[in-house]
Amino acid sequence: MARRPKPKPLTARVLIVDDDERNAFAAREALEVLGHDLVIARSGEEALRLLLHQEFAVILLDLHMPGMDGYETAKLIREHPRTRDTPIVFVTAVFRDEAHIFQAYTAGAVDVVFKPVDPFILRSKVAILVELHLKTLEVRRQAEEQHALLEANARISEEKLAAELALREARERQDTILKSLPVVFTSRASAHPYPALFVSDSIMPLTGFAPQRFVDEPEIGMGRIHPEDVEKVAACLMQASTSGAYACEYRWQCSDGTYRTFLDQGVWVPDANGGGGEILGTLLDVTDRRQLEEHLAQARKMEAVGQLTGGVAHDFNNLLTVVLGNADILLRRLGDDEPRITRQLTAIRSAAERGQTLTRQLLAFSRRQQLNPQVIDLNALIRDFTPLVQQAVGEGVTITLELCDGPLHASIDPTHLETALLNLAVNARDAMEGDGQLIVTTSETADGDAGSVALIRVRDTGPGMAEEVAQRVFEPFYTTKEVGRGTGLGLSQVYGFVSQSGGRIDVSATPGEGAIFELTLPLTDETPAVAAAEAEAVPVEAGSERVLIVEDDPAVLSLCLDMLASLGYRCDVASNAAGALHRLETDPDFDLLFSDVIMPGGMNGIELAQKAQERRPDLKVLLTSGYLGETGNQMEHDFPLIDKPYQCAELATRLRAVLGAPVMAEAAAPERGVR
């Protein structure tokens, strides 16, 4: 029997769709060595016309084209029965972000290549896809010839072996491609819970389950979805039966019990009879991306609150300074002669002090407060501060200290740390409804690159909290208490102070098992300074020196003038830095410059103080501010500062400390007022 002529080698066509002639030429140059037919289309419309009459092994499709772009072209290709299985490789120089990559895969791409294209990489990718196409054609042709080859018994075994070998090679190449892609799966769409027909090997490192488990145990796929996400996933899959595609993000429990977030995308392919068909999909692990997005959103939200706080803190503290200062002046003048008016002024003063506390809490949360760090022993501070905490939480709460052996030295603001501990204790007391146990423990531990850190753990025996509550406890104004109990700023203040101090705070809580707050603070090798012996208290409320007051707020300026004049100081005033410098140049007899930091006119109080001391090195300086904002962070200075709102006694004490030797009130010069 005459041998049949050997069939000609199969060739393939590669369609290059690019409106830029240079890019099309570069692709042709890279692929010519493969020996296949290269067809170039200048637009999506031209590509669709070619696809109606010719079969292509692979389509290289530019994403960014005028008129019909790559996404729209790919959609039309996928909708046509003739071309819906033709591999599409997107080529782009513009859409490189993750969102566009996901959109590309959703549109039906098997790969995405970025311009400028490496010729070797492009050639390798196209070669694999063309080889798969040729093998498919080979199998198709062999199937068509098998009937004719049945008459040639001598060649049946040889042809069959060649076909099996070709299929095996095609599967090996296909497996290689699958390993480089996200998890790929197919499942039956006609049964519930959508039993898997195939799952790629990349599912194993992702979930801890072997691929065959998903085939043999259909319930494992849907059964391990987070209970809160089951309804969403079911609705998404139902949508796929009508729209033909779906994309769903959900939490899935891995073999170790932890939940990871998956992006599940796929298409519904009906069978030839229009029945249930199959679902073809991919699975991406987006856990890290989702956590990063949540952290970024939280950081932006906190930064927005911080900016808002900083924007109003300066003016608000100026108002509080006027209210508190004038209330103090009136209270001193009235004495006990007008009890009703005294009570009203006391109520005004109390409300202003609450406003002062509220502003400081907001500044603490936004990490914009002024800190005065000192090297302290954390164990000693906690031990000494516990009696005050006990008074705050009441007798129904038992405080237990479990402090580590040896000191824990940290450079931190002790007053703000005490406030943070008090806020945590009061929060625990409220959670336990005034009856329970509060355990405070300390230890030294290692924290990666941070080195040795101190860990302060505050644990209560309260009812704990749900996960969604624990995730929000540090947000400003967030509270689970009823109206009238708390502002929702206590824990946010703790968060801001710890963060500003270079540490962090974490919370863990289980409903019914209490809550644990952990403060991690950096340690230092420095040792606390030896506290000087307290000097005998000497009254320092008055003075006779000349003071130049610089303040742009008229109400605050008037109040400050009244305060200092009542103390015996001889005062001049200026409303801005330029006026203050002019006064200092024309009159060299001033003893002290008392200036606000934030002022209009282009020169702030710190710059004013520096220029003033350049002219008058012996001039004493005391600065004040309701909020330094970015000015305090950008300029280094050693000038003493008193925060607004300040009270008369506090201001008098700071003035005497800056001016030097104390002056007895009786020795103060009687001359008062403004020069």
Side-chain angles (χ1 to χ4, degrees):
M1 183 182 293
R3 301 179 64 86
R4 295 173 62 89
K6 188 174 181 179
K8 295 193 305 181
L10 293 173
T11 59
R13 295 188 186 92
V14 177
L15 179 58
I16 303 171
V17 187
D18 201 312
D19 63 302
D20 191 320
E21 293 183 359
R22 295 170 298 177
N23 292 333
F25 177 79
R28 177 189 287 275
E29 287 291 307
L31 299 178
E32 277 185 343
V33 69
L34 298 178
H36 301 296
D37 295 334
L38 305 178
V39 180
I40 296 177
R42 302 299 184 188
S43 65
E45 292 85 351
E46 183 180 356
L48 293 174
R49 287 194 296 271
L50 291 171
L51 287 167
L52 289 175
H53 306 289
Q54 301 181 44
E55 184 178 9
F56 293 89
V58 61
I59 303 170
L60 300 181
L61 181 56
D62 186 18
L63 272 177
H64 188 63
M65 294 186 296
M68 183 184 297
D69 64 8
Y71 291 129
E72 187 176 358
T73 304
K75 178 181 178 182
L76 295 174
I77 292 173
R78 286 288 174 258
E79 289 177 350
H80 198 284
R82 176 188 178 92
T83 58
R84 65 185 179 188
D85 296 323
T86 305
I88 298 175
V89 177
F90 278 138
V91 184
T92 179
V94 179
F95 304 121
R96 308 174 72 97
D97 58 279
E98 189 178 23
H100 281 95
I101 294 175
F102 286 152
Q103 185 179 356
Y105 283 118
T106 304
V110 300
D111 206 347
V112 179
V113 178
F114 300 108
K115 301 177 183 179
V117 179
D118 185 302
F120 177 78
I121 293 177
L122 181 63
R123 192 160 47 244
S124 300
K125 291 179 180 289
V126 171
I128 292 175
L129 295 172
V130 169
E131 186 70 17
L132 286 174
H133 174 73
L134 293 179
K135 291 301 179 184
T136 303
L137 294 180
E138 177 72 18
V139 172
R140 186 192 306 167
R141 185 174 70 176
Q142 290 175 0
E144 294 172 351
E145 293 177 350
Q146 277 184 357
H147 181 71
L149 293 176
L150 288 175
E151 299 177 1
N153 295 330
R155 300 180 56 193
I156 290 178
S157 298
E158 180 183 352
E159 295 293 341
K160 182 179 180 181
L161 179 61
E164 290 176 348
L165 180 60
L167 285 172
R168 186 180 303 112
E169 292 175 351
R171 291 194 183 98
E172 290 175 354
R173 290 186 177 91
Q174 185 179 22
D175 289 342
T176 301
I177 295 174
L178 288 175
K179 289 179 181 178
S180 65
L181 295 174
V183 176
V184 178
F185 67 88
T186 62
S187 61
R188 199 182 310 280
S190 58
H192 189 79
Y194 305 102
L197 300 174
F198 165 79
V199 180
S200 62
D201 293 339
S202 48
I203 195 71
M204 179 68 182
L206 196 63
T207 66
F209 292 101
Q212 194 60 33
R213 289 282 301 276
F214 293 87
V215 178
D216 297 339
E217 306 173 34
E219 68 280 357
I220 196 173
M222 297 288 291
R224 301 184 74 88
I225 295 175
H226 194 285
E228 297 177 0
D229 296 340
V230 171
E231 185 176 347
K232 175 177 66 175
V233 175
C236 187
L237 292 176
M238 287 294 294
Q239 180 186 358
S241 63
T242 56
S243 65
Y246 73 93
C248 190
E249 195 171 290
Y250 54 83
R251 291 163 290 178
W252 199 87
Q253 189 178 33
C254 300
S255 61
D256 60 359
T258 62
Y259 280 95
R260 300 196 67 80
T261 303
F262 294 154
L263 176 61
D264 187 346
Q265 300 178 101
V267 294
W268 180 73
V269 182
D271 59 22
N273 299 323
E278 297 179 354
I279 293 177
L280 309 180
T282 60
L283 203 65
L284 286 174
D285 183 359
V286 295
T287 305
D288 295 338
R289 189 196 72 185
R290 176 59 60 202
Q291 291 176 348
L292 180 60
E293 290 174 350
E294 291 175 353
H295 292 163
L296 181 60
Q298 181 74 358
R300 286 174 175 170
K301 179 165 56 178
M302 292 185 172
E303 181 63 23
V305 174
Q307 291 177 352
L308 174 63
T309 301
V312 302
H314 179 264
D315 292 338
F316 190 57
N317 277 330
N318 274 345
L319 297 175
L320 291 175
T321 300
V322 175
V323 174
L324 282 171
N326 282 292
D328 282 340
I329 291 174
L330 291 175
L331 283 171
R332 287 200 306 273
R333 290 178 180 175
L334 287 174
D336 299 329
D337 296 336
E338 297 286 346
R340 184 175 63 85
I341 298 178
T342 299
R343 286 195 306 271
Q344 294 171 343
L345 287 172
T346 301
I348 293 174
R349 189 177 185 278
S350 177
E353 287 177 343
R354 287 198 298 271
Q356 175 185 1
T357 301
L358 181 65
T359 305
R360 287 177 177 173
Q361 286 178 325
L362 285 170
L363 288 175
F365 156 74
S366 60
R367 289 170 283 179
R368 285 167 166 81
Q369 62 185 338
Q370 288 295 113
L371 297 180
N372 298 304
Q374 304 173 22
V375 178
I376 61 170
D377 178 8
L378 298 177
N379 285 335
L381 182 143
I382 294 172
R383 191 181 298 110
D384 295 340
F385 190 59
T386 297
L388 181 59
V389 176
Q390 184 67 71
Q391 293 180 12
V393 299
E395 297 180 356
V397 176
T398 302
I399 300 179
T400 303
L401 299 183
E402 298 177 358
L403 308 181
C404 65
D405 297 332
L408 293 174
H409 293 154
S411 179
I412 202 165
D413 189 313
T415 302
H416 284 86
L417 177 57
E418 290 174 346
T419 303
L421 294 173
L422 185 60
N423 277 325
L424 291 175
V426 171
N427 181 75
R429 177 203 64 189
D430 293 343
M432 296 185 292
E433 297 183 352
D435 186 12
Q437 189 177 10
L438 187 66
I439 302 98
V440 181
T441 64
T442 62
S443 61
E444 180 177 349
T445 184
D447 187 20
D449 297 336
S452 295
V453 295
L455 181 63
I456 303 175
R457 182 181 288 109
V458 180
R459 178 166 60 91
D460 64 61
T461 57
M465 64 185 80
E467 179 182 355
E468 57 271 18
V469 175
Q471 292 176 350
R472 299 187 60 191
V473 291
F474 299 120
E475 293 183 12
F477 305 112
Y478 177 76
T479 179
T480 58
K481 302 173 184 177
E482 61 270 19
V483 176
R485 291 191 60 193
T487 61
L489 287 172
L491 293 180
S492 66
Q493 180 185 18
V494 179
Y495 171 87
F497 160 68
V498 174
S499 301
Q500 191 174 356
S501 301
R504 73 172 188 272
I505 181 170
D506 301 294
V507 60
S508 58
T510 303
E513 298 182 8
I516 302 174
F517 289 86
E518 293 185 344
L519 283 69
T520 304
L521 298 171
L523 292 174
T524 180
D525 295 332
E526 301 178 37
T527 56
V530 179
E534 294 186 2
E536 182 180 355
V538 178
V540 291
E541 288 80 8
S544 59
E545 290 87 350
R546 289 193 64 200
V547 178
L548 177 58
I549 306 171
V550 188
E551 172 63 63
D552 63 291
D553 189 305
V556 178
L557 179 62
S558 176
L559 170 68
C560 182
L561 183 59
D562 287 345
M563 284 184 177
L564 296 188
S566 68
L567 293 170
Y569 292 98
R570 295 169 293 151
C571 303
D572 275 297
V573 298
S575 59
N576 53 51
L581 287 175
H582 177 72
R583 290 292 182 90
L584 291 171
E585 289 174 353
T586 57
D587 190 344
D589 294 334
F590 286 104
D591 300 296
L592 181 136
L593 172 67
F594 181 45
S595 174
D596 190 15
V597 173
I598 307 299
M599 292 186 297
M603 185 185 304
N604 59 51
I606 298 174
E607 295 168 327
L608 168 62
Q610 292 170 341
K611 292 182 179 296
Q613 285 198 337
E614 288 175 1
R615 295 170 169 79
R616 289 273 312 279
D618 60 332
L619 181 67
K620 303 294 180 65
V621 173
L622 176 61
L623 299 178
T624 182
S625 179
Y627 167 60
L628 290 181
E630 298 301 324
T631 302
N633 297 329
Q634 295 172 357
M635 299 190 65
E636 295 291 337
H637 68 90
D638 296 322
F639 300 112
L641 176 76
I642 181 172
D643 292 328
K644 293 179 182 177
Y646 46 76
Q647 301 179 31
C648 186
E650 180 185 6
L651 177 59
T653 301
R654 293 300 301 274
L655 284 171
R656 294 306 335 147
V658 172
L659 286 167
V663 177
M664 296 294 293
E666 292 79 8
E671 181 182 359
R672 300 181 179 183
V674 182
R675 288 177 58 88

